Amino acid sequence: MTGLDDIRAPGAVTRGGLVLPHYPIPKDVHPSLDSPEYRSTALRHPTQPLQLMPQRLTEVTGPLLGEERVGELDHDLTRQHDGEPQGQRIIVHGRVLEEDGRPVPNTLVEVWQANAAGRYRHTGDNWPAPLDPNFTGVGRCMTDADGHYRFVTVKPGIYPWRNHDNAWRPSHIHFSLFGRAFTQRLITQMYFPDDPLFFQDPMWNSVRDENARQRMLCHYDHSATEAEWALGFRFDIVLRGPQASVFEEEDDDDE
Amino acid sequence: MSDQNAAVGAGGRLGVTPSQTVGPFLHIGLPWPDGPYVVPEGTAGAVWITGTVYDGAGQPVPDAVVETWQADPDGRFDHPDDPRGAAKPSIPGFRGFARCDTDADGRYRVLTVKPGPLPCPDGGTEAPHLDVTVLARGLLDRVVTRIYFPDEDAANAADPVMSAVPPDRRGTLVAEPDGDGGLRFDIRLQGDGETIFFEV
Ligand SMILES: [Fe+3]
């Protein structure tokens, strides 16, 4: 049996040619692109079936972006201006992992969010909640060797939108992850426990599987809470991971 | 410390975190000033690929992000999972990756160089191509397509990914000359001329 390390070792070759890692497609995890409750999907989801594409060199590699993408204060959204932003100061941290539990080290994590009043610093966000001159709402950091990341920010406010009658988005932070392969690219949103608005949110509910939905929740983490300073929340993120066993047969039974 | 929300599923593997849309305010979080540049401005042989993202009503999508990933002109990746070995690109500043959010007219742009052809693990050769991720408000998961080059007819015809696509839709994967020295690659999320999207 070929181990994962062998599959990822440069120069590993079988009789058939190049040996590549393989990232199985997760089942019953991601939302359907056609989710009518979220009205904007109506004209934006492909109507033709997706074409299955085997994973080859372009798909099993990906951008390995480094520290050059991250400024000194990018991880601390409360220190990017002269003064402190309004709101409940929080620490959001966790690990970026693959399905087999391996950490993804040195990978770029990007976040963006509304301010404490629920307003984004974006020209398209015009609802009557105040902007905060001391809050941009954009953060970046790299995971460490153990896959760990950490941001300091304020808890984002709830905001209204026009998807349905009296529609409000639960408090959330947008996350962007690269992993190490094109197949692993992930954009998600992190939600807070016990939000009263989940019942009417089509994005939260677009993830049909209850267990999968729970994986978008952070958890209060008292060990990360800093006394007289900030509340800690933990959010681990699991990316698709390579499977070790698919290339174990190298002899004559060519499929 | 236990990983509290990385529940172990059947087979002992962790459950993958679900995808969500980038939403309408992606422009504050995702763009980089140098995002559109796979190669630096002034690189010999560099070409602008521009295009518009359209929805099913033929309207431009002003809240999308287009990302591309590709080999260098020698067909190599500076990446440890390439079994031929990680190769430093021969072009200074080559990043392989670009990211561009769409403007008010739904337009994006990427400055790049044509990648080399790639050997397939299962034999054969892939024609020069860029892998493309499209993210947008209204897309709950990314969609994936490819950009091929219009001056590579023979290589495109032999490409295993292109060959698996219905012939009448292959054209949606090939950029076209824009008459100005660049290439044009429009992305139609839905409807007439819908772009081929891949499950990968
Ligand atoms: Fe949002």
Side-chain angles (χ1 to χ4, degrees):
Chain A
M1 167 157 186
T2 307
L4 196 58
D5 292 317
D6 301 322
I7 284 175
R8 278 188 166 165
V13 171
T14 66
R15 255 184 13 164
L18 309 166
V19 174
L20 304 181
H22 176 73
Y23 296 78
I25 294 171
K27 298 290 178 218
D28 305 320
V29 173
H30 298 308
S32 168
L33 292 168
D34 181 12
S35 291
E37 307 85 6
Y38 174 24
R39 289 194 339 211
S40 299
T41 66
L43 287 171
R44 295 188 171 189
H45 72 274
T47 52
Q48 302 288 328
L50 300 183
Q51 181 92 20
L52 188 68
M53 180 162 71
Q55 296 164 14
R56 298 191 178 91
L57 284 165
T58 316
E59 291 73 45
V60 302
T61 56
L64 301 173
L65 302 157
E67 298 284 352
E68 77 280 358
R69 301 246 65 100
V70 178
E72 187 189 354
L73 292 176
D74 281 3
H75 72 286
D76 190 338
L77 288 73
T78 69
R79 289 167 64 203
Q80 295 171 352
H81 296 270
D82 289 340
E84 274 223 84
Q86 298 287 327
Q88 175 74 62
R89 199 182 293 115
I90 62 172
I91 294 161
V92 177
H93 79 117
R95 293 173 75 201
V96 181
L97 304 166
E98 295 180 338
E99 286 171 85
D100 65 359
R102 287 181 186 226
V104 185
N106 309 314
T107 190
L108 179 66
V109 182
E110 299 169 290
V111 295
W112 69 102
Q113 65 168 89
N115 68 24
R119 180 138 173 216
Y120 285 88
R121 182 168 290 284
H122 187 288
T123 53
D125 189 359
N126 298 312
W127 82 286
L131 282 170
D132 185 333
N134 291 314
F135 194 71
T136 303
V138 178
R140 298 189 175 92
C141 74
M142 303 293 294
T143 61
D144 66 15
D146 200 31
H148 194 254
Y149 72 89
R150 181 177 181 273
F151 290 103
V152 181
T153 184
V154 295
K155 187 173 179 188
I158 284 161
Y159 59 87
W161 59 317
R162 293 178 177 151
N163 185 72
H164 55 274
D165 185 45
N166 208 10
W168 296 80
R169 291 297 331 278
S171 185
H172 62 276
I173 297 176
H174 295 265
F175 271 74
S176 160
L177 298 120
F178 286 91
R180 53 189 283 141
F182 180 81
T183 52
Q184 292 184 308
R185 183 86 176 94
L186 178 71
I187 298 275
T188 190
Q189 299 180 27
M190 183 200 87
Y191 297 89
F192 291 83
D194 305 320
D195 199 302
L197 291 161
F198 289 142
F199 78 96
Q200 55 82 67
D201 185 53
M203 293 175 192
W204 170 260
N205 290 297
S206 70
V207 177
R208 302 293 185 207
D209 181 76
E210 172 67 19
N211 290 327
R213 221 158 37 221
Q214 295 295 320
R215 296 197 291 269
M216 300 190 291
L217 278 181
C218 65
H219 294 267
Y220 175 68
D221 183 354
H222 200 63
S223 69
T225 293
E226 296 189 11
E228 297 178 49
W229 178 248
L231 292 175
F233 290 89
R234 180 164 183 124
F235 181 54
D236 292 330
I237 300 159
V238 180
L239 306 179
R240 295 167 67 178
Q243 201 163 51
S245 58
V246 286
F247 291 106
E248 64 190 53
E249 297 301 332
E250 293 180 17
D251 288 327
D252 291 319
D253 49 346
D254 289 355
E255 314 197 20
Chain B
M1 164 177 243
S2 67
D3 297 317
Q4 297 175 56
N5 57 343
V8 177
R13 283 164 78 86
L14 303 176
V16 171
T17 306
S19 169
Q20 294 273 272
T21 179
V22 289
F25 305 126
L26 61 99
H27 304 286
I28 71 165
L30 289 176
W32 303 328
D34 62 348
Y37 296 89
V38 176
V39 292
E41 192 112 52
T43 298
V47 58
W48 279 106
I49 301 176
T50 61
T52 303
V53 182
Y54 294 102
D55 71 10
Q59 294 300 305
V61 176
D63 35 24
V65 180
V66 175
E67 293 180 346
T68 65
W69 171 244
Q70 64 175 95
D72 73 11
D74 301 321
R76 300 298 295 267
F77 295 93
D78 187 9
H79 193 286
D81 290 351
D82 183 333
R84 301 167 299 170
K88 291 287 173 214
S90 51
I91 295 174
F94 177 89
R95 192 168 62 198
F97 178 75
R99 165 193 277 179
C100 187
D101 55 329
T102 54
D103 64 16
D105 298 317
R107 290 174 61 82
Y108 75 93
R109 59 182 198 142
V110 168
L111 183 70
T112 191
V113 289
K114 192 201 288 185
L118 300 177
C120 293
D122 39 354
T125 302
E126 289 187 281
H129 64 272
L130 280 61
D131 271 11
V132 179
T133 289
V134 184
L135 305 156
R137 176 175 71 84
L139 282 179
L140 283 161
D141 196 356
R142 68 167 177 173
V143 288
V144 169
T145 188
R146 273 190 174 185
I147 300 174
Y148 287 86
F149 289 79
D151 56 349
E152 293 280 350
D153 283 345
N156 290 346
D159 179 86
V161 172
M162 186 79 90
S163 303
V165 168
D168 61 322
R169 298 186 65 207
R170 286 179 195 163
T172 70
L173 300 177
V174 184
E176 49 190 62
D178 66 2
D180 202 22
L183 293 173
R184 182 176 181 89
F185 186 81
D186 292 338
I187 296 167
R188 290 182 170 78
L189 294 175
Q190 187 188 89
D192 286 343
E194 185 174 303
T195 301
I196 291 272
F197 296 108
F198 296 99
E199 182 167 39
V200 60

